[in-house]
Amino acid sequence: MAPEAELALTGGNVLTMTRDHPRASALAVADGRILAVGADEEIRRWCGPGTEEVRLDGRTVLPGFVEAHGHPTLEMVITGPDILDIRPVTCATAGEALSRLREAIAAAEPGAWLGAFGWDPLLQEGLPKISRELLDELSPDNPLSVMHNSGHSAWGNTKAIERAGITRDTPDPVGSRFERDDAGNPTGAAFEAPATAMVLGGAIRPPDEHNFGVLMRREHDRLAQVGITTVADLGFRRDAREHVQAFYRSGAAKVRMRVYEVSVPEKRTDVTPGEDAEDLLFQQIGIKIWADGSPWVGNIATSFPYLDTPQTRSMGLSPGHRGGANYSRQQLTEIVDAYFPLGWQIACHVHGDEAVEMVLDVFGEALAANPARTDARLRLEHCGAMTPEQYRRAAGLGVTCSLFVDHLYYWGDVLVDGLFGSRAESWTCAGAAIEAGVPISFHNDSPVTPPEPLRNVQVAVTRTSRSGRVIGPQYRTTVEQALRAETIDAAWQLFAERDVGSLEVGKRADLVVLDADPHAVPPGEIGDIPVHATYLDGRRTYRA
């Protein structure tokens, strides 16, 4: 006896993201999976007295969006009640950011350690040069720590540095460093984790069993509202694992999670690859490494210098400045060799072209030394200054890339005018990656920019900044290519393509319903298409 559909969506425009049957008008769902996809009359044959029929009235259905590189367990804390949110998306101007800081300091309990996230002199033009002295002036009586919007640097005032126990004798943790003055004393600045985590210290209280569920539920609501049904956590920490698993057991989840544990120089993960492979909602699938830093901080490894401009001077960069990698070639090799032979997927944050070259060298050696890993799907993350030639090399190695195309929307003007000049034309050149044959995804790296998959599609198709400036139009993608980077290609990158990413019989019924077809609106308006509803396993998790 044929099963009866529990849910049927009819009268719409279904974009399946499959090659053979790209469009339909309806689909049916039973037991959390897609039962049928086709014309309305075909789908109604699966309906019975117990079927909920949703009339789409011409709306567009897509597979639920896949955020292939986010930080949900970080974002839920950073945007939680304990941390002051001064990101440019929250405080558009320097004045707003400083006012919010001063108000929080004035209201603080004596001795309480204050933390803020989102300092960005490139987008909040006019911010003073941040330093321990500035933070001492702002907060003379309380420890105060401030993290850059990129998450790659942080600063503490004198009380924060003292409370954190950072002295001239404190060694730089591997892969990160404390800035020091000529006498060797810490200035209060730190670059890259775990040094930045030490500077933040007690300003961030890790979630516990009492508040973890509240924070994660709010994070899932945020993701579901923009149509995301699968998110990857590219900086997962093992001390969150039990809390996350308990949250998923509670039945409150609205988004699947695929997580990548933070790497350490000596392999220490206590999870075995494939240990939770049968769990369709939560799985640990990889390890994350940061090969270099952030273009907005100045610590990316490039073969070319930054420009000498007011913007680079506001970052504290000297004329002719070039950044470097977080690890030596040998250190990176040792980390990859500690995890890769065990079966882990490796995802490596990289921006500068010199860092890309180093990572491709190390990946190539790891693949050659482990020929049994025929489907490794090694990942490069962000790929800001990666060149077309490097994409061709990545394709030859079977390496996949996740691109932060939203950089062009938020920082596009400053990339060209303030940081790199004509070299910025090829920043996150998605079209070159696709032409080279590299499977790609797009992401927002939240909390750096808010999760906005449709904005990513718009930016990839137009390569246009917020001011309307077009940057490297030769590297545009088509709408179809960009949608694949937010659905099936992103799912493949997470080893999830058998379950999600396209609308096919037997796959999980993860869906997003849009008020318009991204193919049918002007390209510059794709990011403004409203999300009407989101479904996980056929269960509605959001409705406008």
Side-chain angles (χ1 to χ4, degrees):
M1 183 175 179
E4 179 182 301
E6 297 164 4
L7 172 70
L9 279 66
T10 60
N13 173 37
V14 179
L15 305 181
T16 66
M17 303 314 296
T18 66
R19 306 287 192 189
D20 296 338
H21 303 286
R23 289 182 181 262
S25 64
L27 60 80
V29 176
D31 194 27
R33 295 186 181 271
I34 296 173
L35 185 62
V37 182
D40 285 14
E41 57 271 20
E42 178 185 353
I43 296 307
R44 289 199 175 99
R45 296 192 195 110
W46 297 94
C47 296
T51 302
E52 176 191 1
E53 183 176 355
V54 175
R55 298 183 185 276
L56 295 168
D57 296 327
R59 293 186 177 90
T60 293
V61 180
L62 279 157
F65 294 129
V66 178
E67 169 69 14
H69 182 127
H71 298 278
T73 53
L74 170 64
E75 182 175 49
M76 72 183 201
V77 175
I78 290 297
T79 59
D82 295 333
I83 299 296
L84 189 65
D85 184 358
I86 58 169
R87 294 175 297 165
V89 295
T90 304
C91 300
T93 67
E96 290 177 58
L98 290 169
S99 292
R100 184 168 289 198
L101 260 178
R102 291 189 176 104
E103 289 169 5
I105 293 165
E109 295 290 330
W113 196 331
L114 304 173
F117 179 89
W119 187 273
D120 193 332
L122 294 177
L123 297 188
Q124 296 160 324
E125 193 173 346
L127 281 175
K129 186 178 186 302
I130 194 166
S131 64
R132 185 177 63 190
E133 292 73 22
L134 173 67
L135 300 186
D136 283 343
E137 180 184 333
L138 288 170
S139 180
D141 301 319
N142 291 69
L144 173 62
S145 301
V146 176
M147 179 168 263
H148 190 274
N149 188 42
S150 67
H152 286 264
S153 60
W155 302 266
N157 70 355
T158 298
K159 289 186 179 294
I161 296 304
E162 290 174 350
R163 186 85 67 91
I166 300 169
T167 70
R168 62 177 295 125
D169 299 320
T170 303
D172 289 342
V174 175
S176 64
R177 66 182 177 89
F178 299 109
E179 185 182 70
R180 302 175 191 273
D181 61 21
D182 293 340
N185 296 310
T187 67
F191 298 89
E192 303 301 321
T196 53
M198 292 178 65
V199 168
L200 287 169
I204 294 184
R205 293 187 301 169
D208 56 29
E209 63 272 15
H210 303 296
N211 66 3
F212 192 96
V214 173
L215 295 176
M216 178 144 274
R217 188 174 294 109
R218 190 184 68 170
E219 182 69 12
H220 277 220
D221 285 343
R222 181 186 292 118
L223 294 167
Q225 286 171 11
V226 295
I228 292 172
T229 53
T230 298
V231 64
D233 194 321
L234 270 287
F236 191 72
R237 297 188 180 275
R238 74 185 67 179
D239 57 6
R241 185 179 176 87
E242 285 189 18
H243 296 316
V244 173
Q245 289 176 318
F247 175 78
Y248 275 92
R249 286 194 297 269
S250 76
K254 295 184 177 183
V255 182
R256 304 181 195 281
M257 280 182 67
R258 299 294 181 265
V259 305
Y260 294 71
E261 187 174 311
V262 175
S263 69
V264 292
E266 63 283 353
K267 197 256 335 158
R268 290 199 315 231
T269 183
D270 53 3
V271 181
T272 303
E275 178 177 316
D276 45 20
E278 298 306 313
D279 189 336
L280 292 173
L281 287 175
F282 173 84
Q283 294 177 17
Q284 179 169 328
I285 64 172
I287 302 296
K288 169 72 177 299
I289 305 171
W290 282 262
D292 65 356
S294 166
W296 326 130
V297 172
N299 59 343
I300 65 173
T302 58
S303 62
F304 50 88
Y306 280 75
L307 302 177
D308 181 19
T309 64
Q311 290 89 342
T312 54
R313 288 192 287 275
S314 76
M315 298 162 61
L317 306 185
S318 302
H321 173 85
R322 285 172 55 188
N326 293 333
Y327 301 103
S328 68
R329 166 77 176 272
Q330 181 60 34
Q331 287 174 324
L332 184 62
T333 297
E334 289 172 359
I335 296 173
V336 171
D337 285 351
Y339 293 102
F340 186 66
L342 300 180
W344 288 112
Q345 185 189 27
I346 307 292
C348 197
H349 165 116
V350 64
H351 267 303
D353 58 329
E354 285 193 344
V356 170
E357 203 67 22
M358 178 177 70
V359 175
L360 291 176
D361 286 344
V362 173
F363 278 0
E365 290 172 357
L367 289 164
N370 297 271
R373 295 290 305 275
T374 56
D375 190 24
R377 306 186 198 183
L378 291 168
R379 293 180 53 166
L380 297 181
E381 309 301 306
H382 309 322
C383 309
M386 189 167 173
T387 68
E389 175 56 37
Q390 289 175 328
Y391 281 114
R392 288 189 287 271
R393 185 180 175 200
L397 292 170
V399 170
T400 178
C401 298
S402 189
L403 306 185
F404 197 165
V405 290
D406 227 10
H407 271 181
L408 297 175
Y409 182 73
Y410 288 98
W411 289 272
D413 294 318
V414 75
L415 272 167
V416 177
D417 297 332
L419 304 188
F420 301 123
S422 61
R423 287 186 177 272
E425 292 292 312
S426 59
W427 196 261
T428 60
C429 49
I434 292 171
E435 184 179 351
V438 175
I440 63 170
S441 65
F442 297 143
H443 64 258
N444 290 107
D445 199 25
S446 59
V448 178
T449 63
E452 44 186 9
L454 286 168
R455 182 77 60 205
N456 290 341
V457 172
Q458 173 182 313
V459 175
V461 172
T462 66
R463 292 189 63 87
T464 301
S465 72
R466 284 188 295 179
S467 73
R469 181 183 205 149
V470 177
I471 302 166
Q474 66 272 34
Y475 300 119
R476 287 170 171 161
T477 73
T478 66
V479 172
E480 184 71 11
Q481 289 167 337
L483 288 174
R484 290 185 65 86
E486 289 286 354
T487 56
I488 185 60
D489 290 347
W492 175 89
Q493 201 168 70
L494 301 180
F495 288 90
E497 76 278 9
R498 293 183 180 179
D499 297 307
V500 301
S502 61
L503 304 181
E504 302 178 70
V505 173
K507 284 195 171 185
R508 308 306 301 188
D510 292 2
L511 318 168
V512 58
V513 182
L514 306 179
D515 279 353
D517 182 347
H519 296 89
V521 303
E525 298 176 11
I526 293 173
D528 299 319
I529 296 174
V531 172
H532 180 74
T534 307
Y535 294 82
L536 182 77
D537 279 341
R539 172 177 60 91
R540 191 171 62 213
T541 57
Y542 169 74
R543 182 175 181 179

